Amino acid sequence: MGQREILTSSILACIAIAVGSAALVGRAQQRTDQPPSSYAPVVAKEPFEQTMARMSKAKAEVMKRHMDLLKERYDLSDRPADRVTMSRGKPVQEGVRARLPKGVAWQQLAAMTSEEIREKDLWPAGFYPLPHPNHPEGGMVFPQSHIDEIKKQTGRDLTRFDLDFDLPDHLLADFPPAIFLTTRPDLGDVSRGKLVTSDNFYELFNGILNPKQLEGLRLLVTPFPQQQFNATEDRRSARPSLGVTCFDCHTNGHTNGTTHLVGDIRPQEFRHRLDTPSLRGVNIQRLFGSQRALKSVEDFTEFEQRAAYFDGDPVIATKKGVNILERASQVHFMAEFMSILDFPPAPKLNLYGRLDPAKATKQEQFGEDVFFGKGSAPSATQPHTIQTI
Ligand code: HEC
């Protein structure tokens, strides 16, 4: 089989399972004027200034289209829960945020089987995959709070001229997030309320980490060329860029919600949006990310910068600048730092991760019952029931 046929047959094989999500990712348009290809163009077809002018001009329209879609699917309003906060005090948001189809109540859906919901097309659109703010274009998009702080501390500008971040601040994690270390639980949050960057990591962590972990952290806050942020004309930053650091997405070893597309699927419209996960607790995980070959934190670290991880594209990464880390020292050092990032303390949980009845409130216990009971893996064919508090 030629490459095109292999691609076509694998696309057909995927269609059966992915057609729902592709339809709803929706706004990505397939380019019908060109034969399908796995490869991104290596040589720019127009001068950089022209690309920048064209895409900057289209930005308002692209963002409006995407924000309209979000508003149609979700309630994004600011509704902080009473007295429930993240580690550094930011309120957790409450309430169901996926909107229902007109004239339908949750109780009605709860009384129906999955088949009925599918036949009547009543599945709330908010539970379909969320598209990237500009799905055909894709790539890293950082929240404004992070862009501002990085610029202030290090002078690097993570602004894209073609796109803004889409989710409101109140729905994101604490910024900057707290940092807890498995090695020093006695210290509590060691972030001192700061975003850890190349500018301050040494002053914050010298004396708390061993030299190996400190060097690992240095590499995690050091920028390297990435798809939208590099020195070539194929970038989405106004000025040539030194690149992006691991902790630009995994802020303080947690997350700031930075978004991207998965790298392991083609064509573009089949790729799912991917929001940065927290690295807290990676020491107790055994599988990482959506790419099948990455089986350890070390694998993840080594390949993220070597093959433009999120695009699964070593060709274009080579053009922009690959960072080949040395496995036994650099990769291991970075992995060691990531592996001491702890979960925030949870004094109401026992050793097995369950609530201690002597400490928990009634509501918390009710939440745990739902979580481990009705809320866990309901049967696909049985109607679900909703209990009201
Ligand atoms: C553009 C934002 C971004 C950058 C930069 C980034 N990551 Fe990630 N990271 C992600 C996302 C998104 C995932 C989830 C990937 C997936 O599921 O395929 C992830 C997953 C991971 C995981 C697996 C976590 C888990 O719970 O499965 C590790 C470990 C990790 N990243 C480490 C790194 C390291 C080390 C670097 C730098 C070399 C880095 N990341 C750079 C966004 C980023």
Side-chain angles (χ1 to χ4, degrees):
M1 268 204 269
Q3 189 199 319
R4 179 105 60 84
E5 287 146 288
I6 294 173
L7 190 69
T8 314
S9 55
S10 56
I11 290 170
L12 288 176
C14 286
I15 281 176
I17 45 171
V19 74
S21 62
L24 270 120
V25 159
R27 301 190 182 266
Q29 304 120 19
Q30 195 158 14
R31 299 190 59 170
T32 46
D33 52 332
Q34 284 179 10
S37 171
S38 296
Y39 292 88
V42 175
V43 179
K45 301 252 174 351
E46 63 185 0
F48 175 72
E49 286 66 31
Q50 206 173 315
T51 309
M52 185 163 129
R54 179 171 52 77
M55 297 189 88
S56 308
K57 198 165 153 237
K59 175 175 157 181
E61 177 55 31
V62 167
M63 284 316 296
K64 185 184 176 312
R65 196 179 58 195
H66 181 68
M67 295 315 290
D68 286 350
L69 176 87
L70 282 191
K71 278 181 207 134
E72 192 184 303
R73 285 187 179 191
Y74 307 101
D75 168 5
L76 299 175
S77 58
D78 187 3
R79 279 192 281 141
D82 193 23
R83 285 170 301 168
V84 187
T85 67
M86 301 175 207
S87 307
R88 295 195 51 247
K90 181 169 178 171
V92 170
Q93 294 282 316
E94 69 177 5
V96 178
R97 299 313 182 94
R99 293 192 195 280
L100 286 168
K102 273 223 162 61
V104 179
W106 290 107
Q107 279 73 8
Q108 267 171 285
L109 283 183
M112 293 164 81
T113 62
S114 311
E115 283 74 21
E116 269 180 279
I117 294 174
R118 191 179 304 130
E119 271 159 30
K120 295 184 180 153
D121 197 18
L122 293 179
W123 183 248
F127 294 130
Y128 285 114
L130 178 64
H132 185 279
N134 188 5
H135 210 89
E137 178 65 19
M140 307 176 174
V141 195
F142 297 94
Q144 196 59 45
S145 46
H146 185 81
I147 295 174
D148 293 344
E149 184 61 21
I150 286 291
K151 199 163 178 196
K152 196 170 104 197
Q153 283 197 34
T154 73
R156 267 186 310 126
D157 192 353
L158 292 170
T159 309
R160 276 178 72 152
F161 54 71
D162 63 330
L163 219 46
D164 285 331
F165 188 75
D166 55 351
L167 302 177
D169 240 32
H170 57 262
L171 292 175
L172 303 181
D174 250 342
F175 183 83
I179 305 175
F180 301 95
L181 301 177
T182 56
T183 46
R184 293 298 305 274
D186 56 306
L187 296 177
D189 171 17
V190 294
S191 73
R192 290 192 240 163
K194 293 187 179 160
L195 180 70
V196 182
T197 65
S198 52
D199 193 57
N200 63 13
F201 80 98
Y202 187 80
E203 118 199 13
L204 286 173
F205 287 93
N206 182 30
I208 296 178
L209 302 178
N210 74 14
K212 183 183 176 191
Q213 296 154 354
L214 201 56
E215 172 61 3
L217 177 57
R218 183 186 69 79
L219 290 163
L220 289 164
V221 294
T222 301
F224 293 104
Q226 293 281 356
Q227 209 72 313
Q228 286 72 31
F229 301 91
N230 63 82
T232 76
E233 73 288 328
D234 183 11
R235 59 176 194 267
R236 299 293 174 254
S237 61
R239 294 182 50 77
S241 167
L242 276 182
V244 166
T245 78
C246 301
F247 274 21
D248 280 338
C249 294
H250 301 286
T251 27
N252 285 9
H254 190 45
T255 177
N256 55 16
T258 294
T259 197
H260 209 298
L261 292 175
V262 289
D264 52 355
I265 307 173
R266 291 294 187 280
Q268 186 81 350
E269 59 268 33
F270 281 65
R271 294 170 68 180
H272 289 261
R273 174 185 178 141
L274 188 67
D275 293 352
T276 307
S278 175
L279 296 180
R280 290 172 179 169
V282 283
N283 60 328
I284 55 163
Q285 265 177 262
R286 283 295 167 263
L287 281 177
F288 301 92
S290 60
Q291 278 194 50
R292 325 307 194 234
L294 303 179
K295 298 283 189 272
S296 66
V297 179
E298 286 82 358
D299 279 357
F300 209 102
T301 305
E302 186 169 10
F303 297 116
E304 200 275 341
Q305 293 180 341
R306 207 186 261 243
Y309 170 78
F310 296 100
D311 291 293
D313 191 343
V315 179
I316 209 79
T318 305
K319 175 188 175 192
K320 296 174 182 186
V322 180
N323 181 39
I324 298 179
L325 293 163
E326 203 274 308
R327 177 93 182 189
S329 50
Q330 295 177 311
V331 170
H332 213 267
F333 292 11
M334 293 161 85
E336 172 143 337
F337 180 78
M338 288 186 268
S339 298
I340 61 170
L341 291 167
D342 209 350
F343 297 113
K348 291 185 182 181
L349 296 183
N350 66 20
L351 256 183
Y352 307 102
R354 303 297 290 252
L355 281 172
D356 178 344
K359 296 177 184 162
T361 65
K362 261 212 162 106
Q363 255 202 333
E364 287 164 345
Q365 278 190 328
F366 183 74
E368 185 182 57
D369 290 346
V370 174
F371 191 83
F372 288 104
K374 286 198 170 69
S376 75
S379 150
T381 49
Q382 294 306 306
H384 316 305
T385 52
I386 290 182
Q387 257 174 295
T388 41
I389 307 178

